[in-house]
Amino acid sequence: MRSSRLLSILMLLQWRGRLSATALAREFEVSVRTIYRDVDALSASGVPVYAERGRQGGIALHEGYRTRLTGLTPGEAESLPLAGLATVAHDLGLGAEATAAQLKLMASLPVAAGEGALRIARRFHIDPLPWYHRTEASPCLPELAGAVWRERRIRIDYDNWQGQARHELEPLGLVLKGGLWYLVASRAGGKPRSYRVSAIRALEVLDTGFSRPAGFELAEHWPAAVADFERRLMRERATVRLSEEGCRILRAVSPLAAEQVQASARPDARAGWIEAEMPIETPEYSARQLLRLGAEVEVLAPQALRDALLDEARAVLALYLPAGGDDPGGS
């Protein structure tokens, strides 16, 4: 563990240049005292590293020194696709390996190329979470990732809309979509299905292995699975009137619905409004979603959705009306 940290410190100093002991301690999640001991160990092994005190001080390598100890361990090589995605690598239990792999890659580059890569790393950052969202707790994710990698069958207790169920699965891959992790798995060689990782209540990795389906590619399967899910989920259609503001809100809350509304839009008698077809789910669910648009949308059909909207609006109104039922804004 310590030898790996010493090498990582060396690579980091070669990549970034002078760094404070505090910054290094934060990077490797150890104490400042441990960092100074590591620097002493590096110096004793012949590495020209030195520490300077003061506001402009820090820990650095002598100018011109470059190590060639950049060989990747098996774990680091496996984590290379995640080397630039620190949050993802951490979720999967590969944070340390991904960081070490990134450092070794950077250290192996020519000086000019390394400086260019560092400029990119300091100027561009990937945040997979939408606004106002937080990462879901998925404590089983590292163990699940291990089962995917080693091709081991798993047994899970899974929460779905019908309750909790137990499944024995062959895990084929993990996907991060919109800040949420999904497991793609099949049952005894059947058709791959998707499972939300945060809905897994218990996970058991079995000793039995499995063979991946011939020709299965996760990057090809996932877009097709998403498109199929969206088609099945929003298979009904509603006829609606929308204002310009309603269209703007719809683009923010449901880009898929907004895209289909735009494709079917036709002029309406009211200036600034359009009439269009909108994909919907069940009337009850869709009514709650459409209420987010307020008075900027009017449903013309089907009648079941109009009734669901009216029921939902009455339920909301009942929360705010006085006990007698009189409108508090009336005379």
Coordinates of all heavy atoms in Angstrom, one line a residue, residues 220-281:
E220 N -24.0 -1.0 -27.6 CA -25.1 -1.1 -28.6 C -26.4 -1.5 -28.0 O -27.5 -1.0 -28.5 CB -24.7 -2.2 -29.6 CG -23.4 -1.9 -30.4 CD -23.0 -3.0 -31.3 OE1 -23.7 -4.0 -31.4 OE2 -21.9 -2.9 -32.0
H221 N -26.4 -2.3 -26.9 CA -27.7 -2.7 -26.3 C -28.4 -1.6 -25.6 O -29.6 -1.4 -25.7 CB -27.4 -3.8 -25.3 CG -28.5 -4.1 -24.3 ND1 -29.6 -4.8 -24.6 CD2 -28.7 -3.6 -23.0 CE1 -30.4 -4.8 -23.6 NE2 -29.9 -4.1 -22.6
W222 N -27.6 -0.7 -24.9 CA -28.3 0.3 -24.0 C -29.1 1.3 -24.8 O -30.3 1.5 -24.4 CB -27.2 1.0 -23.2 CG -27.9 1.9 -22.2 CD1 -27.9 3.3 -22.3 CD2 -28.7 1.6 -21.0 NE1 -28.6 3.8 -21.2 CE2 -29.1 2.8 -20.5 CE3 -29.0 0.4 -20.4 CZ2 -29.8 2.9 -19.3 CZ3 -29.8 0.5 -19.3 CH2 -30.2 1.7 -18.7
P223 N -28.7 1.9 -25.9 CA -29.5 2.9 -26.6 C -30.8 2.2 -27.1 O -31.9 2.9 -27.1 CB -28.6 3.4 -27.7 CG -27.2 3.1 -27.3 CD -27.3 1.9 -26.4
A224 N -30.7 1.0 -27.6 CA -31.9 0.3 -28.1 C -32.8 0.0 -27.0 O -34.1 0.2 -27.1 CB -31.5 -1.0 -28.8
A225 N -32.3 -0.4 -25.8 CA -33.2 -0.7 -24.6 C -33.9 0.6 -24.1 O -35.0 0.6 -23.8 CB -32.3 -1.3 -23.5
V226 N -33.2 1.7 -24.1 CA -33.8 3.0 -23.7 C -34.9 3.4 -24.6 O -36.0 3.8 -24.2 CB -32.7 4.1 -23.6 CG1 -33.3 5.5 -23.5 CG2 -31.7 3.8 -22.5
A227 N -34.6 3.3 -25.9 CA -35.7 3.7 -26.9 C -36.9 2.8 -26.8 O -38.0 3.3 -26.9 CB -35.1 3.6 -28.3
D228 N -36.7 1.5 -26.6 CA -37.8 0.6 -26.4 C -38.6 0.9 -25.2 O -39.8 0.9 -25.2 CB -37.3 -0.9 -26.4 CG -38.4 -1.9 -26.2 OD1 -39.2 -2.0 -27.1 OD2 -38.4 -2.6 -25.2
F229 N -37.9 1.2 -24.1 CA -38.5 1.5 -22.8 C -39.4 2.8 -23.0 O -40.5 2.8 -22.5 CB -37.5 1.7 -21.7 CG -38.0 2.2 -20.4 CD1 -38.7 1.4 -19.5 CD2 -37.9 3.6 -20.1 CE1 -39.2 1.9 -18.3 CE2 -38.4 4.1 -18.9 CZ -39.1 3.2 -18.0
E230 N -38.9 3.8 -23.6 CA -39.6 5.0 -23.8 C -40.9 4.8 -24.7 O -41.9 5.4 -24.4 CB -38.7 6.1 -24.4 CG -37.6 6.6 -23.5 CD -36.7 7.6 -24.1 OE1 -36.6 7.6 -25.4 OE2 -36.0 8.3 -23.4
R231 N -40.7 4.0 -25.7 CA -41.9 3.7 -26.5 C -43.0 3.0 -25.8 O -44.2 3.3 -25.9 CB -41.4 2.8 -27.7 CG -40.8 3.6 -28.9 CD -40.7 2.8 -30.1 NE -39.9 1.5 -29.9 CZ -38.6 1.5 -30.1 NH1 -38.0 2.5 -30.6 NH2 -38.0 0.3 -29.9
R232 N -42.6 2.0 -24.9 CA -43.6 1.2 -24.2 C -44.2 2.1 -23.1 O -45.4 2.0 -22.8 CB -42.9 0.0 -23.6 CG -42.6 -1.1 -24.6 CD -42.1 -2.4 -24.0 NE -40.8 -2.2 -23.4 CZ -40.5 -2.1 -22.1 NH1 -41.5 -2.2 -21.2 NH2 -39.2 -2.0 -21.7
L233 N -43.4 2.9 -22.4 CA -43.9 3.7 -21.3 C -44.8 4.8 -21.8 O -45.8 5.1 -21.1 CB -42.7 4.4 -20.6 CG -43.0 5.1 -19.3 CD1 -43.4 4.1 -18.2 CD2 -41.7 5.8 -18.8
M234 N -44.5 5.5 -22.9 CA -45.4 6.6 -23.4 C -46.0 6.2 -24.7 O -45.8 6.8 -25.7 CB -44.5 7.8 -23.5 CG -43.8 8.2 -22.3 SD -42.8 9.7 -22.4 CE -44.1 11.0 -22.3
R235 N -46.8 5.1 -24.6 CA -47.4 4.6 -25.9 C -48.8 5.3 -26.2 O -49.3 5.1 -27.3 CB -47.6 3.1 -25.7 CG -48.5 2.6 -24.6 CD -48.6 1.1 -24.6 NE -49.5 0.7 -23.5 CZ -49.1 0.4 -22.3 NH1 -47.8 0.6 -21.9 NH2 -49.9 0.0 -21.3
E236 N -49.4 6.0 -25.3 CA -50.6 6.7 -25.5 C -50.4 8.1 -26.0 O -49.3 8.6 -25.9 CB -51.5 6.7 -24.2 CG -51.8 5.4 -23.6 CD -52.6 4.5 -24.5 OE1 -53.4 5.0 -25.3 OE2 -52.5 3.2 -24.5
R237 N -51.4 8.7 -26.6 CA -51.3 10.1 -27.1 C -52.4 10.9 -26.6 O -53.5 10.5 -26.4 CB -51.3 10.1 -28.7 CG -50.1 9.4 -29.3 CD -48.8 10.2 -29.1 NE -47.7 9.7 -29.7 CZ -46.9 8.8 -29.1 NH1 -47.1 8.4 -27.9 NH2 -45.8 8.3 -29.7
A238 N -52.1 12.2 -26.4 CA -53.1 13.2 -26.0 C -53.0 14.4 -26.9 O -51.9 14.7 -27.4 CB -52.8 13.7 -24.5
T239 N -54.1 15.0 -27.2 CA -54.2 16.2 -28.0 C -54.2 17.4 -27.0 O -55.1 17.4 -26.1 CB -55.4 16.2 -28.9 OG1 -55.4 15.1 -29.7 CG2 -55.4 17.5 -29.8
V240 N -53.3 18.3 -27.2 CA -53.2 19.4 -26.2 C -53.0 20.8 -26.9 O -52.7 20.8 -28.1 CB -52.0 19.2 -25.3 CG1 -52.1 18.0 -24.5 CG2 -50.7 19.2 -26.1
R241 N -53.4 21.8 -26.2 CA -53.0 23.2 -26.6 C -51.9 23.7 -25.7 O -52.0 23.5 -24.5 CB -54.2 24.1 -26.5 CG -55.3 23.9 -27.6 CD -56.2 25.1 -27.6 NE -57.3 24.9 -28.5 CZ -58.6 24.6 -28.2 NH1 -58.9 24.5 -26.9 NH2 -59.5 24.5 -29.1
L242 N -50.9 24.3 -26.3 CA -49.7 24.8 -25.5 C -49.4 26.2 -25.8 O -49.4 26.6 -27.0 CB -48.5 23.9 -25.7 CG -48.4 22.6 -25.0 CD1 -47.4 21.7 -25.6 CD2 -48.0 22.8 -23.5
S243 N -49.1 27.0 -24.8 CA -48.6 28.4 -25.1 C -47.1 28.3 -25.3 O -46.5 27.3 -25.1 CB -48.9 29.3 -23.9 OG -48.1 28.9 -22.8
E244 N -46.5 29.4 -25.7 CA -45.1 29.5 -25.9 C -44.4 29.2 -24.6 O -43.4 28.4 -24.6 CB -44.7 30.9 -26.4 CG -45.1 31.2 -27.8 CD -44.7 32.6 -28.2 OE1 -44.0 33.3 -27.4 OE2 -45.0 32.9 -29.4
E245 N -44.9 29.7 -23.5 CA -44.3 29.4 -22.2 C -44.5 27.9 -21.8 O -43.6 27.3 -21.3 CB -44.9 30.3 -21.1 CG -44.4 30.0 -19.7 CD -42.9 30.3 -19.5 OE1 -42.3 30.9 -20.4 OE2 -42.4 30.0 -18.4
G246 N -45.6 27.4 -22.2 CA -45.8 25.9 -21.9 C -44.8 25.1 -22.7 O -44.3 24.1 -22.1
C247 N -44.5 25.4 -23.9 CA -43.5 24.7 -24.7 C -42.2 24.8 -24.1 O -41.4 23.8 -24.1 CB -43.5 25.3 -26.1 SG -45.0 24.9 -27.1
R248 N -41.8 26.0 -23.6 CA -40.5 26.2 -22.9 C -40.4 25.3 -21.7 O -39.4 24.6 -21.5 CB -40.3 27.6 -22.5 CG -38.9 27.9 -22.0 CD -38.9 29.3 -21.3 NE -39.7 29.3 -20.1 CZ -39.3 28.8 -19.0 NH1 -38.2 28.2 -18.8 NH2 -40.1 28.9 -17.9
I249 N -41.5 25.3 -20.8 CA -41.4 24.4 -19.6 C -41.3 22.9 -20.0 O -40.6 22.2 -19.4 CB -42.7 24.7 -18.8 CG1 -42.7 26.1 -18.3 CG2 -42.7 23.8 -17.5 CD1 -44.0 26.5 -17.6
L250 N -42.1 22.6 -21.0 CA -42.1 21.2 -21.5 C -40.7 20.7 -21.9 O -40.3 19.6 -21.6 CB -43.1 21.0 -22.6 CG -43.4 19.5 -23.0 CD1 -43.9 18.7 -21.9 CD2 -44.3 19.4 -24.2
R251 N -40.0 21.6 -22.6 CA -38.7 21.3 -23.1 C -37.7 21.0 -21.9 O -36.8 20.2 -22.0 CB -38.1 22.4 -23.9 CG -38.6 22.4 -25.4 CD -37.8 23.3 -26.2 NE -37.8 24.7 -25.8 CZ -38.7 25.6 -26.2 NH1 -39.6 25.2 -27.0 NH2 -38.6 26.8 -25.8
A252 N -38.0 21.7 -20.8 CA -37.1 21.5 -19.6 C -37.5 20.3 -18.8 O -36.6 19.6 -18.3 CB -37.3 22.7 -18.7
V253 N -38.8 19.9 -18.8 CA -39.2 18.8 -17.9 C -39.3 17.5 -18.7 O -39.1 16.4 -18.1 CB -40.5 19.0 -17.2 CG1 -40.4 20.3 -16.3 CG2 -41.7 19.2 -18.2
S254 N -39.5 17.5 -20.0 CA -39.6 16.3 -20.8 C -39.2 16.5 -22.2 O -40.0 16.8 -23.1 CB -41.0 15.7 -20.8 OG -41.2 14.5 -21.5
P255 N -37.9 16.5 -22.5 CA -37.4 16.7 -23.9 C -38.0 15.8 -24.9 O -38.3 16.2 -26.1 CB -35.9 16.5 -23.8 CG -35.6 16.8 -22.3 CD -36.8 16.3 -21.6
L256 N -38.3 14.5 -24.5 CA -38.9 13.6 -25.5 C -40.3 14.0 -25.9 O -40.6 14.1 -27.1 CB -38.9 12.2 -24.9 CG -39.7 11.1 -25.7 CD1 -38.9 10.9 -27.0 CD2 -39.8 9.8 -24.9
A257 N -41.1 14.4 -24.9 CA -42.5 14.9 -25.2 C -42.4 16.2 -26.0 O -43.2 16.3 -27.0 CB -43.2 15.1 -23.9
A258 N -41.5 17.1 -25.7 CA -41.4 18.3 -26.4 C -41.0 18.1 -27.9 O -41.5 18.8 -28.8 CB -40.4 19.2 -25.7
E259 N -40.1 17.1 -28.1 CA -39.7 16.8 -29.5 C -40.9 16.4 -30.3 O -41.1 16.8 -31.5 CB -38.6 15.8 -29.4 CG -38.1 15.3 -30.8 CD -37.1 14.2 -30.6 OE1 -36.1 14.5 -29.9 OE2 -37.2 13.2 -31.2
Q260 N -41.7 15.5 -29.7 CA -42.9 15.0 -30.5 C -44.0 16.1 -30.6 O -44.7 16.1 -31.6 CB -43.4 13.7 -29.8 CG -42.4 12.6 -29.8 CD -43.0 11.3 -29.5 OE1 -44.2 11.0 -29.8 NE2 -42.2 10.4 -29.0
V261 N -44.1 16.9 -29.6 CA -45.1 18.1 -29.7 C -44.6 19.0 -30.9 O -45.5 19.4 -31.7 CB -45.1 18.8 -28.4 CG1 -45.7 20.2 -28.6 CG2 -45.9 18.1 -27.4
Q262 N -43.3 19.3 -31.0 CA -42.9 20.2 -32.0 C -43.1 19.6 -33.4 O -43.4 20.3 -34.4 CB -41.4 20.4 -31.8 CG -40.8 21.5 -32.7 CD -41.4 22.9 -32.5 OE1 -41.6 23.2 -31.4 NE2 -41.6 23.6 -33.6
A263 N -42.9 18.2 -33.5 CA -43.1 17.6 -34.8 C -44.5 17.6 -35.3 O -44.8 17.5 -36.5 CB -42.6 16.1 -34.7
S264 N -45.5 17.6 -34.3 CA -46.9 17.5 -34.7 C -47.6 18.9 -34.5 O -48.9 18.9 -34.6 CB -47.6 16.5 -33.8 OG -47.6 16.8 -32.5
A265 N -46.9 19.9 -34.2 CA -47.5 21.2 -33.9 C -48.3 21.8 -35.1 O -47.8 21.7 -36.3 CB -46.4 22.2 -33.5
R266 N -49.4 22.4 -34.8 CA -50.2 23.1 -35.8 C -50.7 24.4 -35.2 O -50.9 24.5 -34.0 CB -51.3 22.2 -36.4 CG -52.1 21.5 -35.3 CD -52.9 20.4 -35.9 NE -53.7 19.7 -34.9 CZ -53.2 18.6 -34.2 NH1 -52.0 18.2 -34.4 NH2 -54.0 18.0 -33.3
P267 N -51.0 25.4 -36.0 CA -51.5 26.7 -35.4 C -52.8 26.6 -34.7 O -53.6 25.7 -35.0 CB -51.6 27.6 -36.7 CG -50.8 27.0 -37.7 CD -50.9 25.5 -37.5
D268 N -52.9 27.4 -33.6 CA -54.2 27.4 -32.9 C -54.8 28.8 -33.0 O -54.1 29.8 -33.4 CB -53.8 27.2 -31.4 CG -55.1 27.1 -30.5 OD1 -55.8 26.0 -30.6 OD2 -55.4 28.0 -29.8
A269 N -56.1 28.9 -32.7 CA -56.8 30.2 -32.9 C -56.2 31.3 -32.0 O -56.2 32.4 -32.4 CB -58.3 30.0 -32.6
R270 N -55.7 30.9 -30.8 CA -55.1 31.9 -29.9 C -53.7 32.2 -30.3 O -52.9 31.3 -30.5 CB -55.2 31.4 -28.5 CG -56.5 31.4 -27.8 CD -56.5 30.9 -26.4 NE -56.4 29.4 -26.4 CZ -56.4 28.7 -25.3 NH1 -56.5 29.3 -24.1 NH2 -56.3 27.4 -25.4
A271 N -53.4 33.5 -30.4 CA -52.0 33.9 -30.7 C -51.0 33.4 -29.7 O -51.2 33.5 -28.5 CB -52.0 35.4 -30.8
G272 N -49.9 32.8 -30.3 CA -48.8 32.3 -29.4 C -49.1 30.9 -28.9 O -48.2 30.4 -28.2
W273 N -50.2 30.3 -29.3 CA -50.5 28.9 -28.9 C -50.4 28.0 -30.1 O -50.6 28.4 -31.2 CB -51.9 28.8 -28.2 CG -52.0 29.5 -26.9 CD1 -51.8 30.8 -26.5 CD2 -52.2 28.8 -25.6 NE1 -51.9 31.0 -25.2 CE2 -52.2 29.7 -24.6 CE3 -52.5 27.4 -25.3 CZ2 -52.5 29.4 -23.3 CZ3 -52.8 27.1 -24.0 CH2 -52.7 28.1 -23.0
I274 N -50.2 26.7 -29.8 CA -50.2 25.7 -30.8 C -51.1 24.5 -30.3 O -51.4 24.4 -29.1 CB -48.8 25.1 -31.1 CG1 -48.2 24.5 -29.8 CG2 -47.9 26.2 -31.7 CD1 -46.9 23.7 -30.1
E275 N -51.5 23.7 -31.3 CA -52.2 22.5 -31.0 C -51.3 21.3 -31.4 O -50.7 21.4 -32.5 CB -53.6 22.4 -31.7 CG -54.4 21.2 -31.3 CD -55.8 21.2 -31.9 OE1 -56.5 22.2 -31.8 OE2 -56.2 20.2 -32.5
A276 N -51.2 20.2 -30.6 CA -50.2 19.2 -31.0 C -50.6 17.9 -30.3 O -51.5 17.8 -29.4 CB -48.8 19.6 -30.6
E277 N -49.9 16.8 -30.7 CA -50.1 15.5 -30.1 C -48.9 15.3 -29.1 O -47.8 15.6 -29.5 CB -50.1 14.4 -31.1 CG -51.1 14.6 -32.3 CD -52.5 14.7 -31.7 OE1 -52.9 14.0 -30.8 OE2 -53.2 15.6 -32.2
M278 N -49.2 14.8 -28.0 CA -48.2 14.6 -26.9 C -48.2 13.1 -26.4 O -49.3 12.6 -26.1 CB -48.4 15.5 -25.7 CG -47.4 15.3 -24.6 SD -47.9 16.3 -23.1 CE -47.6 18.0 -23.8
P279 N -47.0 12.5 -26.3 CA -47.0 11.1 -25.8 C -47.3 11.2 -24.3 O -46.7 12.1 -23.6 CB -45.6 10.6 -26.1 CG -44.8 11.9 -26.2 CD -45.7 12.9 -26.7
I280 N -48.1 10.3 -23.7 CA -48.4 10.2 -22.3 C -48.3 8.8 -21.8 O -48.3 7.8 -22.5 CB -49.8 10.8 -22.0 CG1 -50.8 10.0 -22.8 CG2 -49.9 12.3 -22.4 CD1 -52.3 10.3 -22.4
E281 N -48.2 8.7 -20.4 CA -48.3 7.5 -19.7 C -49.8 7.3 -19.3 O -50.7 7.6 -20.0 CB -47.3 7.5 -18.6 CG -45.9 7.6 -19.0 CD -44.9 7.6 -17.9 OE1 -45.0 6.7 -17.0 OE2 -44.0 8.4 -17.9

